[in-house]
Amino acid sequence: MNQLMRNKRAALDAVGACTHHFKVNLHGHSVIFSFQDEDLNKILLFLFGSQAEITEVPTLRLDSDQTIWRIAILASDAIFESWKNVGEVVPQAPFSQLKSYWRPDFAAAFLALTPDLTVVRHKEPFAGLTMLVPDERLIIYVRPRSEPIFVPHVDTLAGYIWRCAMWRDGSVDLHSATVSHLGCGIVIIGPKMAGKTSLAMHFLAHGAQLLGSDFCEIAVAHDGRLQAKAIPQICRITPETVSDNAVLSGAIDVKCRFGTSYREGVVFSHGKFEFFAPGVDVIFERPVNIVSMSADLIIFPKFSRELERQRITSLNGQIACEELATAILHDRPLADWLPLPEVASRASLEAPTLSRLADIPVKAFQMEFGQEPSLDWAELDGLIKANQTQQS
């Protein structure tokens, strides 16, 4: 047995010794978490409690459903050190489409990349390994004992599995901010710095609910309307967005640039404030997060600091559909860095939904706006109410 297989075997043995198991179900798709640390169930509740159903599995019996996956979280110096001197590998066919980063900000190095085993080494913002064992339907997150569990990585791994399951159901990733306001599901689409998150946060300050600040899954429902669903994900906002929002600026100290514990409050990382669903509820002092909504209205924002009053322009429905399809195809919200089968077949999975988008009646507007005083909520609320009346 070579070193690669010995390292894999050691990790599988450690997974087999896990005594705690929890099933997290979102949109009808389950992920089973296995671990030794009793405290991890609190992390699962923190990350997914407001959006998914969480149940303890007293004795692990993997479901006969061949699509269910397990995530094991291990603290092991021995397993971590066993990969210390393994050199990096460069993705080659059939893995050449994989990206060599965990999130767009953070590089990740492949140590193994075969049909039976993928190993990724992370150096920042946390130290650890991600191991993919496809034949076991298993992803293993290994960290040194001195390293605390990095909460965003747990979220990323589960989100990755849910995304693949949603693709199989006919959903596609959409880089957007999504809110429900006055009973209207609003999808905010635009390139970086267009003002998506800022506009979404202004909606929340005005009483809206949040599906996602930067990402959702979108599909064509049975009734022919667009449906958006949440995949739990970190919320990241700039200091400028905080300063320009009365609620955010009252709840977040923009001068505070320290902290690593996401469970204790807002964290400042790589130029942005980061927090998860419970943090959004705390900031806005009410339950904010929702799991799904119809996508009734698309807004294409255009932020300009100089603009003193908003300008709203109605857009042709066909143009809106084309812009939506372009965003889906060319503005991927997350990196594809694990060779799950759905990654290789993603284009064919997306094709039916993309073809149906051309026939969906979409109401869309371009919204030019500046800082918070430029927003006219009487006009915005009237536009949304009128859209709802037309649909009913």
Side-chain angles (χ1 to χ4, degrees), residues 23 44 49 58 76 102 177 184 190 237 245 255 258 299 317 353 367 389:
K23 181 184 287 187
L44 298 182
S76 172
W102 162 63
C184 179
I237 57 177
N245 185 297
K255 296 179 181 179
F258 302 99
I299 294 179
T353 298
M367 182 175 169
T389 301

Side-chain angles (χ1 to χ4, degrees), residues 336-372:
D336 293 326
W337 57 276
L338 286 179
L340 292 170
E342 291 82 359
V343 172
S345 59
R346 183 172 182 172
S348 61
L349 291 171
E350 290 176 333
T353 298
L354 288 171
S355 66
R356 293 186 69 187
L357 286 180
D359 302 321
I360 302 299
V362 176
K363 194 75 172 176
F365 296 88
Q366 181 184 72
M367 182 175 169
E368 301 172 75
F369 70 104
Q371 294 183 303
E372 187 170 20

Side-chain angles (χ1 to χ4, degrees), residues 32-303:
I32 293 177
F33 285 85
S34 298
F35 48 92
Q36 291 282 23
D37 186 349
E38 257 185 287
D39 191 50
L40 186 62
N41 66 317
K42 297 177 183 177
I43 292 178
L44 298 182
L45 286 169
F46 172 78
L47 286 173
F48 311 125
S50 64
Q51 294 166 303
E53 179 186 4
I54 304 174
T55 54
E56 187 170 6
V57 184
T59 303
L60 181 63
R61 292 179 59 190
L62 291 179
D63 200 293
S64 59
D65 179 0
Q66 293 300 301
T67 64
I68 196 165
W69 280 76
R70 182 158 52 132
I71 296 173
I73 300 177
L74 308 176
S76 172
D77 292 334
I79 295 173
F80 184 76
E81 290 294 324
S82 70
W83 292 94
K84 185 175 182 179
N85 297 318
V86 176
E88 299 179 15
V89 296
V90 178
Q92 305 289 338
F95 305 116
S96 53
Q97 86 280 8
L98 297 178
K99 306 296 190 294
S100 58
Y101 45 77
W102 162 63
R103 275 170 41 191
D105 312 84
F106 307 117
F110 290 105
L111 305 182
L113 194 51
T114 72
D116 302 319
L117 178 68
T118 297
V119 181
V120 181
R121 177 191 288 134
H122 307 275
K123 294 183 179 179
E124 63 168 341
F126 68 104
L129 301 170
T130 298
M131 306 176 69
L132 169 66
V133 189
D135 57 347
E136 300 279 346
R137 286 174 287 152
L138 174 66
I139 297 176
I140 309 170
Y141 164 25
V142 184
R143 73 186 198 279
R145 290 193 175 277
S146 60
E147 184 90 5
I149 294 173
F150 190 63
V151 170
H153 194 48
V154 179
D155 170 73
T156 296
L157 293 176
Y160 203 108
I161 295 173
W162 281 320
R163 286 171 65 209
C164 290
M166 297 290 285
W167 298 347
R168 295 194 302 270
D169 285 348
S171 293
V172 293
D173 293 351
L174 181 62
H175 184 194
S176 64
T178 40
V179 298
S180 178
H181 184 56
L182 300 177
C184 179
I186 302 170
V187 179
I188 307 170
I189 302 173
K192 288 183 178 180
M193 308 305 291
K196 295 188 299 297
T197 305
S198 291
L199 185 56
M201 293 297 122
H202 287 312
F203 269 110
L204 295 190
H206 198 63
Q209 293 176 294
L210 179 69
L211 185 83
S213 66
D214 195 51
F215 169 71
C216 75
E217 292 291 329
I218 198 162
V220 181
H222 295 301
D223 61 3
R225 299 172 67 182
L226 288 178
Q227 183 77 18
K229 295 184 178 180
I231 300 290
Q233 193 191 31
I234 199 167
C235 181
R236 306 183 74 222
I237 57 177
T238 65
E240 291 76 17
T241 295
V242 173
S243 299
D244 186 41
N245 185 297
V247 174
L248 292 176
S249 61
I252 299 175
D253 182 359
V254 295
K255 296 179 181 179
C256 180
R257 301 299 173 91
F258 302 99
T260 58
S261 176
Y262 290 83
R263 293 166 62 192
E264 293 177 4
V266 176
V267 170
F268 187 80
S269 175
H270 288 72
K272 292 188 177 183
F273 292 99
E274 299 185 340
F275 43 89
F276 287 94
V280 183
D281 291 346
V282 169
I283 288 170
F284 290 95
E285 299 182 333
R286 60 186 172 87
V288 169
N289 298 276
I290 57 175
V291 180
S292 65
M293 69 180 199
S294 59
D296 305 307
L297 185 67
I298 297 178
I299 294 179
F300 295 93
K302 188 175 181 181
F303 176 79

